[in-house]
Amino acid sequence: MTRRRWLGGALGSLCAEAGGRAQGQRTADRILIGRVRALDEKNTVGEAIAVAGDRVLAVGSRAAVLRTRGRSTIVRDVGGATIIPGFNDAHSHLEREGLKTLRPSLAGARSIAEVLRRVEEIARATPAGQWIVTMPVGEPPYYFGGPAGLAEKRMPGREELDRAAPNNPVCISAPFGFWGEPPTYTALNSAGLRMNQIDAARRPLSDDGEILHGADGEPSGVIVNKGRTPAVEFDLLRAVPRFSFEDRLEGLRRGLPLYHAGGTTSVYEGHGEAAESIAVYRRLWERGELTMRTGLCLSPSWSSLAEAERQMRDWVSYARGRGLGDAMLRISGVHIAFGGEARVAELSRAQLPDTGWSGQVEQATTAGEYEEPCRMAARYDLRVHTIVADRLEEVVAVLERVAGRVPVAGRRWVIEHIAKCRQQDLEALKRLGLGATLIPVNYLWKGGARFLNEPAESAKLISPARQLMEMGVPVAAGTDNIPHDPVFTLWAMTNRVERTTGRVIGAEGRVTNEQALRLMTTAGAWLTFEENVKGPLRVGNY
């Protein structure tokens, strides 16, 4: 994979450019000559592929495919490269990547002096009184360690930031908690503290937040977020400018080419999108600017069972069953959380439509509260998506009770982010007819340290791609935007190497290269009911 000559993105671009031709067309718009791995049921390997409009016209020998050539057909020989289906990122957070480019970067700063010089430069170009909000201290995309990467091993304080930007409120943002590892750190100058009403008496409402104080008892300007959810942002930083609708629109525009550049042609977001985020996708779709085949589910804003039933009954009928939309944008189903912090969920709902970096509404649902909204969703034919991490055992127990009253098999409910689990829980998924998505980079490489001492029998079941595939459970993999590189996700699945030690987590759980490719390309079509038109490079498919 070192050369990374993947042409899935090229095929996606061709389809985006040529869309709209009649399916009966027999002359190719484009022909690519190279080793074609169709990744279909027959494991077809061809010498060339022809594309007409937005569909595969032919795959096979070079001579046979060239017979589809017409006067205007563009023919490209890709040499020794392999042509594969476009990557289908089954848990993408696509819009987030573009949002990262909207704020000034501090990447490469190795000392507080270098951070302050960056802030000074920004201040010189910023009108007095206007907020300066930067990306975090540390190195993207993870920002591991944050201030530990600076020579002083600390964040700049309020007085230092005052000198760098005397006429502007300043906020050096903390990384979004799921990019790297908590704790994460925010830094404000005096004006930033004052505008957020943070003084010696202020205390965070969430246990995940901590305001650091100096020797004088006053806030130092540094705030710590101890958990992954953005508690500090919703609790203490309400005056810091949020991403507007136009910001999110621009973020999505910028994110599209970044994902396409890695070969991604389809995305799915089972974590759910808040109403404003869906509106952003819809705006680009209406304008014909959405170049990514996109499947979304809803991230609901209800705060009670009564409100949940009203929304399911009266307002989200468009998301029932297969949902509503077309080949470029489809919305189906609803995300129902299992777990979460109640105070963070409450604080986040109070600030809607803003959702910070997440794009979804923060939810908190206890084990006892989870069952009833799932029953409601089954009654109203809404697919349920749930992130389980290490709690698959608890979730399947609830869903088995739900299925005992309202069948869920065939409705394509999705269990997401499976981390540690048991074989009998995977068997329950099979019995229930559920599908799954996995985030291998998160649980094997980035956060795998907590699993290093697991016995071999349980270690192989962490992010259990191989087991689910062998059982015939529909399963696909996603990047989770940590980072958005699908090839790194392939590497994580095939190697299962933990980042801090280089040790392998559950060697028996490794997938083959071909299995990994299928998990990141063709498998995701099941999530959007498109396995008959998308995925393998099969004649008639997108």
Side-chain angles (χ1 to χ4, degrees):
M1 292 184 186
T2 54
R3 295 176 72 193
R4 293 185 54 184
R5 297 181 65 189
W6 302 105
L7 293 183
L11 281 177
S13 297
L14 300 184
C15 291
E17 293 169 11
R21 298 279 189 125
Q23 289 189 38
Q25 178 184 343
R26 302 310 301 167
T27 301
D29 294 314
R30 309 289 181 103
I31 293 175
L32 296 178
I33 299 171
R35 188 169 185 264
V36 181
R37 288 297 307 272
L39 297 179
D40 57 2
E41 297 83 353
K42 298 178 181 179
N43 210 14
T44 299
V45 179
E47 297 175 334
I49 183 170
V51 175
D54 63 356
R55 304 283 177 146
V56 175
L57 180 62
V59 176
S61 70
R62 176 176 179 144
V65 171
L66 284 174
R67 283 198 288 271
T68 68
R69 183 178 187 174
R71 288 186 176 182
S72 60
T73 302
I74 297 171
V75 180
R76 180 183 175 194
D77 190 327
V78 300
T82 294
I83 301 164
I84 63 171
F87 288 117
N88 188 342
D89 191 336
H91 200 112
S92 63
H93 295 296
L94 163 62
E95 69 278 14
R96 192 178 296 163
E97 193 64 25
L99 286 177
K100 296 174 186 177
T101 69
L102 299 185
R103 290 177 174 174
S105 173
L106 301 179
R110 297 288 184 265
S111 67
I112 287 177
E114 291 181 15
V115 171
L116 296 177
R117 277 198 292 274
R118 300 274 182 94
V119 174
E120 288 174 359
E121 291 170 5
I122 299 165
R124 283 195 290 270
T126 304
Q130 184 173 310
W131 272 95
I132 294 171
V133 184
T134 75
M135 290 296 286
V137 164
E139 292 307 303
Y142 304 105
Y143 301 95
F144 289 134
L150 299 179
E152 297 84 356
K153 310 296 183 187
R154 66 174 178 85
M155 293 288 284
R158 60 180 169 85
E159 294 177 346
E160 292 167 310
L161 290 172
D162 288 346
R163 290 192 290 273
N167 301 313
N168 303 86
V170 176
C171 176
I172 297 177
S173 302
F176 185 53
F178 291 93
W179 293 344
E181 295 292 332
T184 57
Y185 299 85
T186 299
L188 302 167
N189 67 352
S190 296
L193 289 169
R194 187 167 56 253
M195 293 181 73
N196 284 286
Q197 301 179 326
I198 299 173
D199 56 21
R202 181 78 179 271
R203 295 293 179 268
L205 296 174
S206 168
D207 293 338
D208 277 350
E210 181 182 3
I211 301 169
L212 301 187
H213 295 79
D216 59 359
E218 294 297 318
S220 68
V222 179
I223 302 174
V224 184
N225 199 99
K226 301 174 186 176
R228 295 186 187 280
T229 53
V232 163
E233 178 182 347
F234 295 128
D235 183 0
L236 299 172
L237 304 178
R238 301 185 188 186
V240 176
R242 303 305 204 210
F243 293 120
S244 67
F245 181 88
E246 291 302 322
D247 288 336
R248 293 189 183 278
L249 194 63
E250 180 61 19
L252 181 55
R253 281 199 189 97
R254 295 187 184 192
L256 288 167
L258 296 174
Y259 274 69
H260 285 320
T264 300
T265 57
S266 292
V267 297
Y268 184 73
E269 193 46 67
H271 200 156
E273 295 284 353
E276 182 167 78
S277 296
I278 289 176
V280 167
Y281 278 92
R282 177 174 174 167
R283 179 68 60 84
L284 278 195
W285 172 76
E286 288 172 335
R287 293 176 176 177
E289 298 177 41
L290 185 61
T291 57
M292 186 76 70
R293 299 188 188 279
T294 302
L296 306 175
C297 83
L298 306 175
S299 179
S301 59
W302 60 60
S303 56
S304 68
L305 286 175
E307 188 178 3
E309 179 145 33
R310 281 195 299 272
Q311 288 190 20
M312 291 190 207
R313 183 192 67 197
D314 298 340
W315 296 111
V316 296
S317 60
Y318 59 87
R320 291 181 182 177
R322 294 183 175 222
L324 200 64
D326 63 10
M328 294 307 297
L329 178 62
R330 180 164 294 275
I331 302 167
S332 170
V334 61
H335 180 268
I336 300 178
F338 189 89
E341 185 183 341
R343 181 53 64 88
V344 174
E346 178 187 349
L347 290 168
S348 71
R349 282 195 301 269
Q351 295 181 55
L352 290 174
D354 173 63
T355 54
W357 286 108
S358 66
Q360 70 263 353
V361 182
E362 296 295 328
Q363 299 179 41
T365 307
T366 67
E369 296 168 335
Y370 177 69
E371 186 167 345
E372 189 54 34
C374 288
R375 286 180 177 171
M376 292 177 186
R379 286 200 302 272
Y380 293 112
D381 192 25
L382 282 163
R383 304 168 64 200
V384 171
H385 304 65
T386 297
I387 289 174
V388 297
D390 294 348
R391 303 181 72 180
L392 180 59
E393 175 183 0
E394 299 171 74
V395 170
V396 295
V398 174
L399 295 184
E400 286 187 310
R401 291 198 297 271
V402 172
R405 298 178 62 176
V406 185
V408 300
R411 300 192 185 196
R412 305 204 182 188
W413 289 24
V414 186
I415 299 301
E416 304 179 301
H417 271 251
I418 301 176
K420 185 178 177 181
C421 62
R422 306 176 306 170
Q423 182 62 37
Q424 56 263 46
D425 303 326
L426 302 183
E427 291 165 1
L429 292 184
K430 175 76 172 176
R431 272 196 315 275
L432 289 165
L434 307 182
T437 61
L438 302 175
I439 314 298
V441 171
N442 191 354
Y443 294 120
L444 296 171
W445 180 80
K446 183 174 75 73
R450 65 190 179 97
F451 299 125
L452 286 172
N453 295 322
E454 287 289 327
E457 279 302 302
S458 56
K460 71 181 182 182
L461 290 173
I462 293 162
S463 193
R466 179 176 176 178
Q467 292 78 6
L468 289 170
M469 291 186 82
E470 291 175 350
M471 293 169 63
V473 173
V475 56
T479 68
D480 204 18
N481 190 245
I482 51 170
H484 66 287
D485 180 0
V487 177
F488 189 48
T489 301
L490 296 178
W491 177 86
M493 285 189 280
T494 54
N495 289 271
R496 298 178 67 90
V497 170
E498 191 274 327
R499 67 179 173 91
T500 63
T501 63
R503 288 168 53 189
V504 173
I505 297 175
E508 291 182 51
R510 287 171 170 156
V511 295
T512 66
N513 289 344
E514 181 180 319
Q515 287 173 325
L517 278 173
R518 290 179 182 273
L519 286 163
M520 279 300 296
T521 57
T522 62
W526 182 91
L527 297 166
T528 47
F529 302 89
E530 292 179 295
E531 64 270 30
N532 292 324
V533 291
K534 188 168 78 172
L537 298 178
R538 183 193 300 126
V539 173
N541 273 15
Y542 297 135

